[in-house]
Amino acid sequence: MSDNDLESTQRRIIEAAGIMFAERGFESTTVRDICQEAGANLAAVNYHFGDKERLYIETVLRAHRWCIEKVKLPGWDETTPATQKLADFIITFFGRVLSDPGDVWQPRLVLREVLHPTAACAELARSSIRPEFEILNGILRELLPDDISEEELHLTAFSIVGQCLFYFFADGVIRSLIVADEYASHDVEKLARHVTNFSLAAIQARANAHQPAALLEEVER
Amino acid sequence: MSDNDLESTQRRIIEAAGIMFAERGFESTTVRDICQEAGANLAAVNYHFGDKERLYIETVLRAHRWCIEKVKLPGWDETTPATQKLADFIITFFGRVLSDPGDVWQPRLVLREVLHPTAACAELARSSIRPEFEILNGILRELLPDDISEEELHLTAFSIVGQCLFYFFADGVIRSLIVADEYASHDVEKLARHVTNFSLAAIQARANAHQPAALLEEVER
DNA sequence: AATTGATTGAAACAGATGTTTTAATCGCAT
DNA sequence: ATGCGATTAAAACATCTGTTTCAATCAATT
């Protein structure tokens, strides 16, 4: 009954449920499938967790704690350049997006819940995503001109996470658009490098255009 | 019984089904809900369409035809600059992504099917998305250096559509991250302008970096 | 007006799914 | 060994959902 008993029925159920919830969602996953996969009796879910929804909440909470524990940003100090922070942020983000399904299901379940919150976990979804958003905004504030509007800051942040998340939610589309070899060659480092270069180029162009922009207009007149 | 009879039961069922399929997906939408919303009898779906799946296919096919008809790229000629083509592509793409749910459900249903293809419509999803992908690749080939790799071309295309689609699939997240006024101020023109500027800046930086890159390496040695 | 085919309405059916019940079994302290 | 609480097993239950059935109704034609 210990929480750390790797062979306990609860553990096996959480593991099976996590994989299936992450892959097919709450509604499309049946209690029977979970129990069969976990090698447990049909009544085990209700006995150990009360009902299916409480099992789901428990699974999402554990997945969230797992992510906080395992997928961490590296430590920064005051000498770390903002460009490095952005690169770190993006590669960490990709670590979740591209986690192997099946083996590591926790980030996928959390991402699914964040993108399409269940009523039960809506609050967790909000509270888990906001700090990351603020970290990214902080990095971008260092990279962009001081007088940038909050709105443009947010649009820039959305552009970055949008690029990353695309590989998560459009995985099937990507697989059908490019040849198998190219798809297989996608990995965290390569994709993170592309998104970092692409975004930094756009950000630095925006930063450089800030002051000279007025001058250029003068010239054109 | 006419296909254009706006008051026919088929029409009302397709309209109700489209809205609900687009919003909640195939599995989470029940035949009973559709018929109630359409003011039709429970047996109407099976009588007019055979079964629920064939109703779904018919609804997706009509939505797809509607999109081809209504959401079109403007005409280009050989004098149209590639930057303009990219701007056109992005704003057209946003026209689908940000369509008003409820009133205009067709683009959302097609997007949903493209991102998470049902077995029944997988082929349609693939065949409808590939031409758009090739159009975007063509535009990017004009903007990027000639010797760009296919892979980098594709990654750049993914960066652009990823930014656009983010506003589609992460709508709930966005709403919870920014204040209501800012969310309400999002419209097709503004978002398309941001994504276009962001992406063009990144692309042009990449184009300019192409030749000088080797020189810079020389200098560093 | 009568007939015929298409459509609609109401009820029932069959299968799947979450939950509950009740008895059997296991682990362990006494 | 015994008794007891925790766990598991098997079956049944209740509800939901897609589908079918069959009679009633409607619309158009003769």
Side-chain angles (χ1 to χ4, degrees), chain A residues 8-221:
Chain A
S8 76
T9 305
Q10 278 126 317
R11 278 280 167 172
R12 295 201 317 277
I13 287 178
I14 290 243
E15 186 71 20
I19 293 171
M20 293 171 137
F21 284 147
E23 207 62 26
R24 307 188 288 199
F26 178 77
E27 305 236 333
S28 299
T29 303
T30 73
V31 175
R32 279 172 178 80
D33 286 346
I34 293 170
C35 290
Q36 172 154 9
E37 193 67 21
N41 184 268
L42 172 59
V45 162
N46 299 285
Y47 177 77
H48 287 286
F49 299 94
D51 57 25
K52 184 188 175 188
E53 188 177 48
R54 270 177 286 182
L55 165 62
Y56 180 77
I57 294 172
E58 182 63 30
T59 309
V60 171
L61 286 176
R62 290 200 188 208
H64 184 228
R65 286 199 295 267
W66 187 96
C67 287
I68 289 174
E69 187 78 17
K70 302 278 183 176
V71 193
K72 277 194 275 211
L73 285 167
W76 297 326
D77 58 37
E78 58 280 357
T79 72
T80 310
T83 54
Q84 182 62 48
K85 291 184 190 174
L86 185 64
D88 289 340
F89 183 92
I90 289 172
I91 202 167
T92 305
F93 210 96
F94 262 112
R96 296 179 194 168
V97 168
L98 292 190
S99 63
D100 249 338
D103 184 28
V104 179
W105 48 268
Q106 290 87 347
R108 293 181 160 257
L109 179 57
V110 172
L111 274 180
R112 174 186 273 273
E113 184 60 30
V114 165
L115 292 179
H116 296 287
T118 305
C121 299
E123 191 45 42
L124 166 76
R126 267 194 294 276
S127 68
S128 80
I129 195 72
R130 173 165 290 285
E132 306 243 10
F133 184 59
E134 294 306 335
I135 289 172
L136 179 54
N137 282 333
I139 297 170
L140 294 178
R141 252 186 280 266
E142 292 187 57
L143 290 167
L144 286 164
D146 286 337
D147 61 345
I148 201 91
S149 70
E150 278 294 294
E151 177 176 58
E152 190 175 353
L153 193 75
H154 296 159
L155 292 179
T156 306
F158 293 155
S159 282
I160 291 169
V161 301
Q163 288 177 75
C164 299
L165 286 174
F166 179 73
Y167 295 90
F168 170 70
F169 71 87
D171 182 67
V173 184
I174 293 171
R175 200 186 300 245
S176 78
L177 283 177
I178 61 181
V179 298
D181 285 350
E182 186 178 340
Y183 178 82
S185 80
H186 281 182
D187 58 41
V188 170
E189 286 76 20
K190 178 192 284 181
L191 297 182
R193 202 179 328 121
H194 164 76
V195 171
T196 303
N197 290 339
F198 190 91
S199 304
L200 267 180
I203 289 166
Q204 284 162 353
R206 175 66 181 82
N208 293 334
H210 181 240
Q211 186 60 13
L215 297 177
L216 283 175
E217 278 187 32
E218 293 286 338
V219 172
E220 282 185 11
R221 278 178 203 156

Side-chain angles (χ1 to χ4, degrees), chain B residues 182-212:
Chain B
E182 186 178 340
Y183 178 82
S185 80
H186 282 182
D187 58 40
V188 170
E189 286 76 19
K190 177 191 286 179
L191 298 182
R193 202 177 328 121
H194 165 76
V195 171
T196 303
N197 290 340
F198 190 92
S199 303
L200 267 179
I203 289 166
Q204 283 163 353
R206 175 65 182 79
N208 293 335
H210 181 239
Q211 187 60 11

Side-chain angles (χ1 to χ4, degrees), chain B residues 104-120:
Chain B
V104 180
W105 47 268
Q106 290 85 349
R108 294 182 160 256
L109 179 57
V110 172
L111 275 179
R112 176 186 272 275
E113 184 61 30
V114 164
L115 292 179
H116 297 287
T118 305

Side-chain angles (χ1 to χ4, degrees), chain B residues 1 9 32 41-43 47-48:
Chain B
M1 185 190 172
T9 304
R32 280 173 176 80
N41 184 269
L42 172 60
Y47 176 77
H48 287 287

